[in-house]
Amino acid sequence: MRVAEKMTFEDLVDWYVRQLVLYGDAENAEIIRNAFACGEPTVALDMAVIRSKQLNIIPERHIIKRSCELLDPDDDGMEICKRLLTSNDLPRMREDNC
């Protein structure tokens, strides 16, 4: 089983939150953490994908694919993921992460 297939909502939200903090957006990272802590994992993941796109944070393809699997079809984050997956400029998962 590949790493991405094992990623849970929590794993993905944590990844996006870490990226937001690294990009200096601790305020939105905290809002997303709170949404997750309040039992809204889909909302938290959707917000994380949207904010990451706004900051031009482009995850590796396996993270985007797994995000698509967990988001609701009508989420704005799903639309962002679909657009990113059609791009040829996405970073691939490094072999040492497999």
Side-chain angles (χ1 to χ4, degrees):
M1 182 179 266
R2 295 186 58 189
V3 171
E5 294 168 351
K6 295 179 185 177
M7 292 183 84
T8 64
F9 273 108
E10 186 172 14
D11 296 331
L12 288 168
V13 170
D14 284 346
W15 185 90
Y16 283 106
V17 163
R18 281 193 309 272
Q19 298 308 307
L20 292 176
V21 170
L22 288 172
Y23 277 73
D25 193 3
E27 182 179 341
N28 279 303
E30 187 61 29
I31 291 168
I32 292 165
R33 271 193 209 114
N34 288 338
F36 186 84
C38 289
E40 296 289 348
T42 306
V43 171
L45 183 57
D46 189 43
M47 289 173 21
V49 169
I50 292 167
R51 187 61 183 143
S52 293
K53 174 66 172 138
Q54 291 169 341
L55 294 175
N56 205 28
I57 299 169
I58 309 297
E60 292 177 343
R61 183 175 291 278
H62 74 281
I63 291 173
I64 297 169
K65 281 185 175 181
R66 185 62 177 147
S67 297
C68 275
E69 292 171 3
L70 296 177
L71 286 168
D72 292 332
D74 61 340
D75 287 338
D76 291 335
M78 173 66 87
E79 195 61 38
I80 291 168
C81 286
K82 286 179 182 177
R83 275 189 252 133
L84 288 172
L85 285 173
T86 61
S87 169
N88 291 328
D89 298 329
L90 286 177
R92 299 276 181 184
M93 187 165 71
R94 294 186 312 261
E95 292 300 318
D96 57 353
N97 286 346
C98 294

